[in-house]
Amino acid sequence: MAPMNGNNVVVSKMKLERMLSMKGGKGEASYANNSQAQAQHARSMLHLLRETLDGVELRSPEFPFVVADLGCSCGSNTIYMVEVIIKHMAERYEAAAAGGSTAAPEFSAYFSDLPSNDFNTLFQLLPPFGEATMEECLASGTGHSHRSYFAAGVPGSFYRRLFPANTVDVFYSAFSLHWLSQVPEVVSDKRSVAYNKGRIFIHRANEYTVNAYKKQYQTDLTGFLRARSKEIRRGGSMFLVSLGRTCSDPTDQGGAGLLFATHFQDAWDDLVQEGLITSEKRDNFNIPVYAASLDEFKEIVETEGSFVINKLEVFRGGSPLVVDHPDDAAEIGQALATTCRSVSGVLVDAHIGDHLSDVLFSRVASRGTRNANELKEKLQFSHIVASLSLPN
């Protein structure tokens, strides 16, 4: 990562893959302590995940059953979801064995994210591998003190190959595919009509800027699908959840737009007006996120051609802000700031330095407090939920 020395920091776009991550550690602004909304949203979709798992072909017991979480981050959510998947499949194997069919294989889980992910924090959360039988693990449910699967971390971008061919039975990825592999270069080029002047995100930006993001999303998702088509075993399935939008106009990024392009954006403007950073410094920072529509996602999958769509829908996930006291404006404002920081703080720190980052997010909290009622009413996320498999 580039040195963090305030206004002189310029982060190469080529290095985004090496630095992009959710906020690591276990501090107040860490992703581990600010991913309750993601947990709630993921659990509300468990019935859709189980439908996908019911369509997965059971394997011969001499081969391990392999689950991979792509974009696992560093909190307990990924462990919970992997255990849900393995428990469900183990129960299917147990039922099949009772009927005289396939016995259960061993299970392996791969936790994958960019190299900058805080794998140390994640692995500290993993329960130790135990000698309990599968029946004992099933009886104890998820969250038990021992795990019944082998675990490994796989660092790398999911927009490229990560695993050997024909080795993964279930791919799971939640709240990650809206992150682009890079900010399109034209967006930060002052000579380009796509230059995102005065903004840090594409919500309400000009059509050239938004189209550059849309093209990057198409390129990235196509690369993701091509890589997974080589790695997934025939008979396996892929369950994907990412930020989406209900509006056909890509300049309206929905909940992502309200999160990144209103009070967060205004806080950057505060720093410019106070002379803490230059307007050019602000303009050179852009959030590499694109919330696609259902039609955009479907078109890319069908054009790429490797997978068939078993299920595709927009799921209303609710607010990303989790608060104990919904009528406490200050708590809502602080929740907005910590949410923004948990997902973008690493990029902000690298761009303007730790000290100015503290100032920026304090401004976000203040603005969020003043606009708490609007946030309660309007800040809602929609997710694209997709179940994909190879054609028969």
Side-chain angles (χ1 to χ4, degrees):
M1 185 180 297
M4 301 178 184
N5 57 352
N7 281 339
N8 295 323
V9 176
V10 177
V11 177
S12 167
K13 295 174 182 61
M14 298 297 292
K15 294 183 179 179
L16 182 61
E17 181 180 317
R18 285 285 168 181
M19 59 176 291
L20 178 61
S21 68
M22 302 299 98
K23 193 79 169 178
K26 300 177 182 178
E28 180 182 357
S30 68
Y31 184 81
N33 286 326
N34 290 281
S35 53
Q36 299 95 328
Q38 289 90 332
Q40 291 177 6
H41 298 174
R43 294 183 189 209
S44 68
M45 303 176 200
L46 285 179
H47 63 292
L48 300 174
L49 172 61
R50 290 185 174 114
E51 285 180 16
T52 295
L53 297 176
D54 284 339
V56 175
E57 181 180 313
L58 299 183
R59 297 297 178 190
S60 175
E62 63 261 29
F63 299 104
F65 189 95
V66 177
V67 178
D69 185 350
L70 305 179
C72 64
S73 193
C74 54
S76 60
N77 291 350
T78 180
I79 298 172
Y80 176 84
M81 296 309 300
V82 162
E83 290 185 348
V84 165
I85 293 170
I86 291 175
K87 180 175 185 289
H88 188 89
M89 294 308 303
E91 289 174 340
R92 285 192 58 205
Y93 275 106
E94 187 178 39
S101 186
T102 307
E106 293 185 312
F107 288 89
S108 290
Y110 293 115
F111 298 90
S112 181
D113 212 315
L114 294 175
S116 48
N117 184 57
D118 185 2
F119 284 102
N120 286 336
T121 292
L122 173 61
F123 292 152
Q124 288 168 11
L125 295 172
L126 273 175
F129 184 80
E131 296 300 326
T133 65
M134 180 58 71
E135 289 74 17
E136 290 170 334
C137 290
L138 290 175
S140 63
T142 59
H144 45 74
S145 59
H146 290 81
R147 57 186 162 85
S148 59
Y149 57 92
F150 297 95
V154 180
S157 170
F158 54 36
Y159 294 125
R160 297 192 300 274
R161 287 286 301 275
L162 292 166
F163 305 96
N166 307 312
T167 57
V168 180
D169 293 281
V170 174
F171 280 112
Y172 173 84
S173 181
F175 319 120
S176 298
L177 270 171
H178 46 264
W179 287 97
L180 303 175
S181 65
Q182 67 176 61
V183 175
E185 291 186 6
V186 292
V187 171
S188 299
D189 184 353
K190 289 193 290 186
R191 301 165 298 177
S192 170
V193 292
Y195 183 49
N196 201 21
K197 184 174 178 58
R199 301 178 185 275
I200 62 162
F201 190 46
I202 57 169
H203 187 71
R204 308 301 187 200
N206 73 60
E207 61 176 313
Y208 303 103
T209 306
V210 176
N211 285 338
Y213 264 70
K214 181 178 179 179
K215 184 178 180 181
Q216 186 66 53
Y217 177 78
Q218 293 170 335
T219 299
D220 286 343
L221 183 55
T222 297
F224 175 90
L225 294 169
R226 286 177 180 167
R228 303 295 82 76
S229 70
K230 301 292 192 301
E231 299 163 347
I232 196 168
R233 285 178 174 171
R234 192 158 296 279
S237 287
M238 186 156 60
F239 186 81
L240 309 175
V241 180
S242 65
L243 275 182
R245 66 176 200 276
T246 56
C247 177
S248 61
D249 180 4
T251 65
D252 182 354
Q253 287 284 293
L258 185 54
L259 182 67
F260 292 125
T262 52
H263 311 305
F264 189 33
Q265 168 69 63
D266 290 341
W268 283 87
D269 295 341
D270 288 342
L271 266 57
V272 173
Q273 292 167 8
E274 294 167 25
L276 297 175
I277 62 172
T278 64
S279 59
E280 184 176 2
K281 189 70 176 177
R282 173 201 58 205
D283 298 344
N284 284 334
F285 181 86
N286 285 275
I287 297 289
V289 164
Y290 185 80
S293 69
L294 208 63
D295 287 341
E296 286 172 345
F297 184 93
K298 181 180 180 182
E299 181 180 359
I300 295 168
V301 174
E302 292 179 343
T303 299
E304 194 279 327
S306 295
F307 289 91
V308 295
I309 299 173
N310 300 315
K311 195 175 190 69
L312 180 63
E313 64 180 79
V314 171
F315 191 93
R316 297 189 180 278
S319 173
L321 307 183
V322 178
V323 294
D324 294 326
H325 306 95
D327 295 326
D328 187 336
E331 185 178 354
I332 291 173
Q334 188 57 50
L336 176 68
T338 53
T339 297
C340 287
R341 193 165 200 170
S342 69
V343 298
S344 69
V346 170
L347 298 178
V348 174
D349 291 351
H351 193 69
I352 60 175
D354 294 349
H355 172 69
L356 287 179
S357 185
D358 289 341
V359 176
L360 174 72
F361 287 108
S362 71
R363 300 290 191 276
V364 175
S366 297
R367 288 185 169 277
T369 299
R370 295 198 297 271
N371 295 275
N373 289 333
E374 176 201 30
L375 291 169
K376 282 197 299 182
E377 178 184 349
K378 296 182 178 180
L379 185 51
Q380 303 289 321
F381 277 176
S382 295
H383 302 291
I384 291 175
V385 181
S387 174
L388 309 177
S389 60
L390 296 175
N392 293 328

